Amino acid sequence: MKRVHLLEIVDEDWCPRSIRHAVTDYCRFVTERAYSPVAPLLAQALQKLSARHVLDLGSGAGGPWLHLHPLLREMGVDVTVCLSDHNPNLEAFERARRLSHHSLTFDPEPVDATQVPGELAGFRTMFSAFHHLRPDQARAVLADAVARREGVGLFECGDRSLLTLGGLLGTPVVVLLVTPFIGPFRWSRLFWTYLVPVLPLVLLFDTIVSWLRLYSVSELRELTAGLDGYQWDISTVRIKPLPNKITYLIGRRGRAPAASLRRRLPDLNTPLHRSQAKAAFTRD
Ligand SMILES: C[S@@+](CC[C@H](N)C(=O)[O-])C[C@H]1O[C@@H](n2cnc3c(N)ncnc32)[C@H](O)[C@@H]1O
């Protein structure tokens, strides 16, 4: 099935701020720990680039960083992380800064991932946010990272499989169950969940639209076509012990593996060599 880019309610200007922020708080709450499997991949890329700063785009309520940052530290990677969003959720950013003892910082001004201001340097990451961009914007985000010689890491929980969709259909029930445990505390979240139960429906609608918008591994590869001088690692990694996957793209300055592979293998067009080449790109 091809990727479809329908409207997500939280992307619309008419969506009330309280609903938008409740949605990003929920996204952080349910996926925060799910991104742990990407920590070694991210650590390796940051180490290879000797990166000291991360600029997280489309951070919502902080995404997985409260959990990921200590994991990276345990792996010997000490980076500063600046959270940003084109609709900054400032209460949630403050919470992330406080709980991380100021290891996580944030930009209080709106930052559009498709037009990153020149003064915001650092390895760029996006968690559960790249699907918000249409292919021309997505390609521009990658091209801009390449032009600025910044590393880039894009991560999305799930893929366009029926397994992922099946899990998402339970969203309204999950919202009703977990809402009292989501921080920062907001009366508006309780109001929109239990008194006027708009949030369970908005989240169900937006997660299904998000699922339709997710970029597949092959679509991500197409987006990087012609962006030379960068090494692109595009694949999926499992969220063990679940069968679900994270789809990711990590790009960094350096020689592309395909070029070195081609030099070593005389004829890539045999079935054996095709499978070796595929293995070089496929981690899962
Ligand atoms: C589903 S939320 C994910 C938030 C967070 N990264 C997480 O993992 O929980 C997507 C976020 O991307 C932001 N976003 C969408 N398009 C954007 C753009 N062009 N530039 C910056 N942020 C964007 C939205 O405002 C929203 O906060």
Side-chain angles (χ1 to χ4, degrees), residues 6-20:
L6 301 177
L7 164 159
E8 258 190 79
I9 293 168
V10 288
D11 282 347
E12 296 301 303
D13 290 339
W14 49 259
C15 176
R17 223 172 64 100
S18 55
I19 298 241
R20 184 178 290 134

Side-chain angles (χ1 to χ4, degrees), residues 132-143:
H132 284 269
L133 309 179
R134 291 179 179 276
D136 54 332
Q137 297 175 311
R139 162 91 183 172
V141 163
L142 296 175

